Amino acid sequence: MRQPQISIVIRAYNEARFLPGLLDAIKTQSASSHETIVVDSGSIDATRDIAQKQADKLLRIQGRDFTFGYSLNVGIKAAAGRFVAIVSAHTLPLDEGWLERLVGPLEEENTAMVYGRQVGGPSSRFSEAQDMERTFGKKRKILRPPDFFANNANSAIRKDLWREHPFDESLMGLEDIEWAKHWMEKGYRVVYAPDAALYHIHEESWQQIRRRYYREAVAARWIGVKGVRQAIINPALESVRLLRDWVGYLRAGPNGLSSKMSVRHMIRDTTLFRANKCIGTMKGLLDGGIMENPSAREKIFFDRSCQAVVIRKPGEASLEAIEIPEVKPGDVLIRVAYEGVCATDIDIFDGTLGYYKDGTAQYPIVPGHEFSGQVVETGPNVDHLEPEDAVVVECIQSCGACDACRKENWIACWQRVEMGVIGRDGGYAQYVVVPGRFAHRLPPGFDLAKACLCEPLAVSLKGLKRLRRTWVERKAPRKCAVVGAGSLGHLCARVLERWGHDVTIFDTNRERLDFFKGSSINVSDRLTGLDAFEDLIEATGNPDALEVVLHQSPAGARILLLGLPYARREFSFESIVAYDKILVGSVGSAAKHFDMAIELLPQIQTDAFMQSVLPISQFKKAWEIAKAGKYLKTLLKVC
């Protein structure tokens, strides 16, 4: 491939939603001799995966090192073209001639920079679309001092001039205006090319809007194009623009952005936009301090929030924005792919889980402990996982250092947390941070939806292994009864079948029993004849079912209790003691059970678990479906 004439540098951070469209549009440009360079600043979504496949070059920098100028300099340093086009990842060219018209004026020797037109997209806020219309008109302009302006969301520069004067890496914004000002004062031109147009798509929260205008205002004061005087007059200026917004809305008629909102919505949206823009601008212009602290600077540049289901108290849950926790040494940041709905999640929402009744656990909590995902960031001291690894995570997370942990009695650890239950937010969130030692890498190609079953399968395996310890003679096949054909009961039956035992499963729900058609597992919708089984697994948590199992099981029976929660009930244990029965309780799982589950899961039939998948936004509907019991498992697609 011959050397490209144009290098297109795209700055990106969590741009998985928009980047594919931009890269596809670039491929259709009439200026054919070009390359694309994506500079990623520590994205935690799929941005890097997309760029790796679709861009010519992918460069990575750490978020803590980011400034707009630094990221551009990294990209331009790797550029092979004479000319460098600069574009934001959340933009989209209007047509195939955008790039050619943007770069064209740079052929003139005295032109240092070109910037193109920007227009609001269908999802743009009305006020911002109005600002773009005022800032980027339809008339071509040649800028000269003191009219200093440019915008690197849609611009092009000469690389030979960049070598002499790279972008200022200390600025929090307006690196484009600083660069344009530098060359304009040396006699070069900056050209505005309105025919090189693209959509600039901002979908920001009010906090993000304040933050953007704050950093731009700080930069404007640093480079001397604005000062405290502008801060004083800014409220009046934005008030005038607000009135113009309202007039623009009335004049727009039935077309454009105005048709998508009522007058009431327009007044609220435009007022909030102008207020947040004004607050951010004034604060930035009045803030004379330079952001020397890397951590503080990173917070200004990057939004570290994600969507999560938060249960704030019994009966109150909503999908809202939460801050992603800091990744500390030993931690991993995981982008959640799927989360399995568990009865425990619903019990937390209803306020009936014992941990919340006795004060062991407290609200608010992000529920979920049956999830799969992909590692996007690892902290120091994590050497068994890499970004892009698919993983599942243990629910019960002990300290690893106390007496109980040294005896591998993890459930007795007084410092333990349980993901989505006690002390640590769970998988009903786009991103979770967990200690890396509890994350298990999945083999390549492992189905991430199916991987949600690793946690309940690990729970089943732990219980069955505890039951097997009571078998004096490991004869096979053994006659095993499983009471309850829900998730745990179904998995127990499948495992016992896999181990070669004679299995019968009991449940009043015929639809759940139908999932065993074609298998060697016997089914019954009547809880009778239990005296024929030497090993019984109670997996319902129903005290009535437990009473039948305790009294109707034969002498010498071994009974595994997996169900939760069993209601308070008076039981006579005379039938247990008098008939040499053994009761085995089991809850949760540990690392070795997860390893077993990952190995065993592909070998057992799990299609019945994949029939109900909803987006995370429909979590309440998913809970209702789970309570109805029609499906064996309901999954939430998170990312």
Side-chain angles (χ1 to χ4, degrees):
M1 179 179 176
R2 63 191 179 91
Q3 181 170 320
Q5 290 295 301
I6 307 167
S7 297
I8 306 169
V9 175
I10 305 168
R11 297 178 298 204
Y13 174 72
N14 287 351
E15 297 286 4
R17 182 176 177 183
F18 302 107
L19 186 59
L22 173 60
L23 292 173
D24 287 342
I26 288 174
K27 292 174 183 176
T28 69
Q29 291 298 303
S30 56
S32 58
S33 179
H34 60 263
E35 64 173 352
T36 52
I37 302 170
V38 174
V39 183
D40 182 78
S41 306
S43 293
I44 56 177
D45 65 359
T47 295
R48 294 198 299 268
D49 297 338
I50 294 165
Q52 191 77 54
K53 295 173 183 176
Q54 294 185 242
D56 296 304
K57 298 175 184 176
L58 169 62
L59 308 175
R60 303 181 185 184
I61 63 174
Q62 296 293 321
R64 61 178 176 270
D65 298 328
F66 176 86
T67 65
F68 292 105
Y70 174 65
S71 64
L72 285 178
N73 289 340
V74 169
I76 297 171
K77 186 177 180 180
R82 289 174 54 216
F83 306 127
V84 178
I86 301 167
V87 61
S88 291
H90 45 273
T91 59
L92 187 68
L94 264 64
D95 56 41
E96 293 82 1
W98 157 75
L99 182 59
E100 189 172 3
R101 292 191 288 268
L102 182 68
V103 173
L106 294 178
E107 296 285 359
E108 300 175 25
E109 188 64 28
N110 65 335
T111 300
M113 188 176 196
V114 183
Y115 69 97
R117 189 181 179 203
Q118 300 175 38
V119 298
S123 59
S124 297
R125 294 192 183 277
F126 186 79
S127 291
E128 183 152 36
Q130 293 289 97
D131 281 354
M132 288 185 187
E133 189 173 330
R134 283 190 285 267
T135 303
F136 304 101
K138 298 180 180 179
K139 185 177 179 180
R140 186 176 189 270
K141 294 192 295 185
I142 297 175
L143 280 68
R144 295 185 175 86
D147 187 12
F148 302 118
F149 188 76
N151 194 294
N152 274 342
N154 181 20
S155 69
I157 65 170
R158 284 171 41 182
K159 187 173 180 181
D160 60 332
L161 296 182
W162 171 85
R163 290 192 187 96
E164 293 184 37
H165 183 73
F167 286 104
D168 190 329
E169 297 181 357
S170 68
L171 294 175
M172 295 176 62
L174 303 194
E175 80 295 334
D176 37 23
I177 295 179
E178 187 280 332
W179 200 87
K181 180 174 181 288
H182 174 88
W183 290 108
M184 289 169 68
E185 289 176 340
K186 291 183 177 296
Y188 285 85
R189 303 188 311 173
V190 170
V191 175
Y192 169 58
D195 53 351
L198 48 67
Y199 294 108
H200 193 167
I201 308 159
H202 275 135
E203 295 183 356
E204 299 173 311
S205 66
W206 300 122
Q207 181 183 13
Q208 290 169 328
I209 289 170
R210 285 197 306 275
R211 187 162 47 204
R212 172 158 59 97
Y213 284 104
Y214 169 79
R215 64 175 180 254
E216 288 183 0
V218 170
R221 182 170 177 182
W222 285 357
I223 64 177
V225 296
K226 288 184 179 180
V228 176
R229 179 175 176 273
Q230 280 78 13
I232 297 172
I233 65 173
N234 189 259
L237 181 61
E238 291 301 325
S239 297
V240 171
R241 288 173 177 165
L242 177 61
L243 293 174
R244 289 180 178 177
D245 290 343
W246 295 349
V247 172
Y249 171 86
L250 295 173
R251 288 180 176 175
N255 299 315
L257 294 171
S258 62
S259 64
K260 297 185 177 182
M261 55 182 168
S262 64
V263 173
R264 182 178 179 181
H265 180 197
M266 179 274 298
I267 292 174
R268 178 183 181 277
D269 192 78
T270 54
T271 301
L272 286 173
F273 180 88
R274 292 299 169 194
N276 282 282
K277 179 184 177 184
C278 182
I279 291 169
T281 300
M282 289 182 65
K283 186 177 178 182
L285 290 174
L286 295 173
D287 186 355
I290 298 176
M291 302 292 288
E292 298 284 1
N293 186 310
S295 176
R297 187 173 65 236
E298 189 172 353
K299 288 180 180 179
I300 290 295
F301 283 123
F302 299 119
D303 178 25
R304 291 279 294 188
S305 66
C306 72
Q307 292 293 302
V309 174
V310 182
I311 302 177
R312 297 210 165 270
K313 62 182 181 180
E316 183 180 312
S318 62
L319 187 65
E320 57 188 72
I322 65 168
E323 285 295 311
I324 299 173
E326 179 186 355
V327 179
K328 298 177 181 178
D331 286 347
V332 293
L333 174 64
I334 299 169
R335 181 169 63 247
V336 178
Y338 291 91
E339 165 67 50
V341 174
C342 177
T344 302
D345 311 333
I346 302 170
D347 291 338
I348 295 172
F349 174 71
D350 291 339
T352 58
L353 193 68
Y355 289 144
Y356 287 82
K357 288 183 174 181
D358 65 18
T360 302
Q362 290 84 35
Y363 299 99
I365 188 77
V366 176
H369 55 275
E370 301 178 8
F371 67 91
S372 63
Q374 188 176 44
V375 174
V376 291
E377 185 180 335
T378 60
N381 305 329
V382 176
D383 54 12
H384 70 293
L385 294 170
E386 298 287 343
E388 321 302 339
D389 282 347
V391 293
V392 289
V393 179
E394 297 172 43
C395 170
I396 297 176
Q397 301 176 359
S398 55
C399 74
C402 67
D403 290 341
C405 287
R406 285 195 291 270
K407 296 174 183 176
E408 297 189 0
N409 187 9
W410 318 114
I411 200 69
C413 174
W414 68 277
Q415 296 185 70
R416 84 177 194 278
V417 299
E418 296 183 20
M419 287 214 67
V421 183
I422 305 172
R424 177 160 287 144
D425 287 339
Y428 280 64
Q430 292 174 313
Y431 298 92
V432 295
V433 173
V434 302
R437 62 193 178 97
F438 297 113
H440 295 254
R441 182 194 285 114
L442 297 171
F446 207 105
D447 186 335
L448 287 179
K450 190 172 182 176
C452 289
L453 299 178
C454 284
E455 197 278 338
L457 180 56
V459 170
S460 300
L461 287 168
K462 178 191 174 187
L464 292 175
K465 284 179 70 67
R466 287 175 62 80
L467 180 65
R468 283 207 307 192
R469 292 178 192 168
T470 68
W471 296 352
V472 178
E473 297 179 6
R474 300 286 181 101
K475 62 180 182 179
R478 300 180 72 89
K479 285 186 67 67
C480 303
V482 179
V483 179
S487 297
L488 287 182
H490 187 107
L491 290 170
C492 284
R494 293 290 186 183
V495 172
L496 289 167
E497 178 193 30
R498 179 79 184 168
W499 288 349
H501 300 297
D502 182 0
V503 184
T504 299
I505 191 162
F506 297 85
D507 202 295
T508 57
N509 187 326
R510 289 298 314 183
E511 289 182 330
R512 288 181 172 179
L513 296 179
D514 287 343
F515 291 133
F516 293 99
K517 286 181 178 178
S519 73
S520 64
I521 297 171
N522 304 304
V523 301
S524 176
D525 60 0
R526 298 181 64 193
L527 193 56
T528 59
L530 296 184
D531 57 344
F533 299 95
E534 54 192 333
D535 295 286
L536 301 95
I537 296 93
E538 205 302 305
T540 67
N542 185 315
D544 294 327
L546 175 59
E547 187 164 14
V548 173
V549 170
L550 292 177
H551 289 89
Q552 293 189 14
S553 53
R558 296 157 177 84
I559 303 169
L560 170 63
L561 305 184
L562 274 183
L564 278 176
Y566 291 107
R568 185 178 294 275
R569 179 76 65 88
E570 288 188 5
F571 286 108
S572 171
F573 284 91
E574 184 174 347
S575 64
I576 305 298
V577 178
Y579 292 97
D580 288 338
K581 298 180 185 181
I582 298 174
L583 288 182
V584 179
S586 183
V587 67
S589 58
K592 60 185 177 182
H593 308 115
F594 263 79
D595 291 337
M596 293 171 58
I598 292 169
E599 181 179 354
L600 183 61
L601 189 58
Q603 303 173 35
I604 61 178
Q605 177 57 253
T606 55
D607 291 347
F609 290 87
M610 302 292 115
Q611 298 181 354
S612 176
V613 182
L614 282 75
I616 185 71
S617 59
Q618 296 183 30
F619 70 95
K620 288 187 177 179
K621 181 179 179 181
W623 289 348
E624 292 301 319
I625 291 173
K627 286 192 287 187
K630 180 179 180 181
Y631 298 101
L632 194 56
K633 175 66 70 174
T634 294
L635 300 181
L636 293 171
K637 191 176 189 312
V638 182
C639 289

